[in-house]
Amino acid sequence: MPKFYVVGTPIGNMEDITYRAVRILCEVDLVLCEDTRVTKNLLNKYDIKTACLSYPSDNLKPGADKANPKVEKILEMINEGKTLALVSDAGTPTISDPGSVLVSKIKETFPEIEAIAIPGPSAVASALSISGLPASDFTFMGFLPHKKGRETLFKEMAESERTVVFYESPHRILKALISLEKFVPERKIVIARELTKVFEQIITGTPAEVTKYFTVNTDKVRGEFVVMVSGR
Ligand code: SAM
């Protein structure tokens, strides 16, 4: 019976990969990637010779998969008995990343095949673990919508008794902080920036304090951000 693995990969520091992930990526017939150039970098570092194939992301909305020739090809390979591993560019596939529709399609088409998780890093868990905020239970909002529905989520944060976590890009981090100043002015905010990388940083304060920090230190408004908001 062929196997289907979903493999966590580093979120910055290339050493953050498990022995098991390296072994599985060596052993499978094919690695399904978001961007083959990114994954090949990782495979080269560990001298993994397995071939890569990109899987559809943008088009892979529910319903669009049936007509997608790449999905058909992937299903055909599984049908032929090939063992596949799915990775994303960074962290755990499907967590604010593509892949869940493909996983669902594979499980639906081949109910006898188990999807096997090969756990690895995820920015949400890494950020929470060093935030000092309560993390036994929390609300993860992924990337906030750019426009429609964005304000509703800030209102939800204002009501939340749990720590709220979301991902933000450098283009919108200041905009998000200004909204936090408006909706949760008294709360403690923790920002994890560039986790596991050379310029890793944690910034803590009220929304106004953190906004001021980034307004003064404009060189820090770059890289990758996880935003955490304490519960009320
Ligand atoms: N699948 C990934 C995971 O498991 O965390 C998330 C991928 S999502 C496309 C990318 C976002 O995750 C970034 O915009 C940032 O918000 C967050 N992220 C990823 N790597 C990060 C890092 N090294 N430091 C801080 N945030 C990171």
Side-chain angles (χ1 to χ4, degrees):
M1 188 62 65
K3 294 203 169 82
F4 176 65
Y5 296 98
V6 179
V7 182
T9 60
I11 56 167
N13 189 321
M14 297 270 259
E15 290 181 5
D16 293 331
I17 186 161
T18 67
Y19 290 119
R20 187 174 175 219
V22 172
R23 177 175 63 74
I24 294 296
L25 292 173
C26 280
E27 287 175 3
V28 293
D29 295 305
L30 189 71
V31 181
L32 301 174
C33 319
E34 211 184 330
D35 181 337
T36 51
R37 289 163 302 182
V38 174
T39 300
K40 275 180 183 162
N41 259 339
L42 179 71
L43 299 190
N44 287 341
K45 164 125 180 115
Y46 290 95
D47 206 22
I48 299 168
K49 309 282 187 220
T50 314
C52 294
L53 177 76
S54 71
Y55 57 88
S57 48
D58 293 340
N59 294 337
L60 204 58
K61 303 212 166 71
D65 50 347
K66 288 188 192 71
N68 192 304
K70 272 195 178 166
V71 174
E72 291 307 317
K73 192 174 169 192
I74 290 166
L75 296 178
E76 204 180 295
M77 283 188 288
I78 296 175
N79 201 32
E80 285 165 2
K82 299 251 189 323
T83 293
L84 309 183
L86 176 89
V87 299
S88 62
D89 284 352
T92 300
T94 81
I95 307 296
S96 295
D97 260 342
S100 56
V101 178
L102 183 60
V103 173
S104 158
K105 182 75 185 165
I106 290 170
K107 286 164 75 84
E108 177 193 308
T109 313
F110 304 102
E112 68 284 12
I113 292 181
E114 255 184 284
I116 300 168
I118 308 295
S122 191
V124 53
S126 307
L128 273 171
S129 73
I130 51 168
S131 68
L133 296 175
S136 294
D137 60 347
F138 61 92
T139 301
F140 177 53
M141 294 187 170
F143 285 107
L144 305 183
H146 297 179
K147 289 200 176 100
K148 199 165 176 277
R150 191 173 169 95
E151 189 165 313
T152 310
L153 292 179
F154 282 105
K155 286 182 182 156
E156 268 183 40
M157 287 178 214
E159 291 306 311
S160 179
E161 292 185 358
R162 297 189 173 91
T163 302
V164 174
V165 187
F166 63 95
Y167 286 166
E168 196 49 281
S169 77
H171 313 293
R172 268 178 291 276
I173 188 73
L174 280 169
K175 188 179 163 203
L177 286 167
I178 288 163
S179 298
L180 291 171
E181 267 189 81
K182 178 175 166 193
F183 289 98
V184 289
E186 310 294 334
R187 300 280 181 78
K188 184 175 174 185
I189 304 297
V190 183
I191 307 245
R193 175 177 167 262
E194 294 288 83
L195 287 165
T196 78
K197 304 187 204 176
V198 178
F199 297 108
E200 172 167 350
Q201 196 184 10
I202 289 279
I203 303 131
T204 306
T206 63
E209 287 164 348
V210 177
T211 306
K212 187 171 172 209
Y213 174 84
F214 282 110
T215 314
V216 173
N217 300 282
T218 49
D219 60 315
K220 309 288 190 208
V221 188
R222 60 171 71 143
E224 301 195 275
F225 298 87
V226 180
V227 183
M228 293 159 281
V229 182
S230 62
R232 76 186 163 94

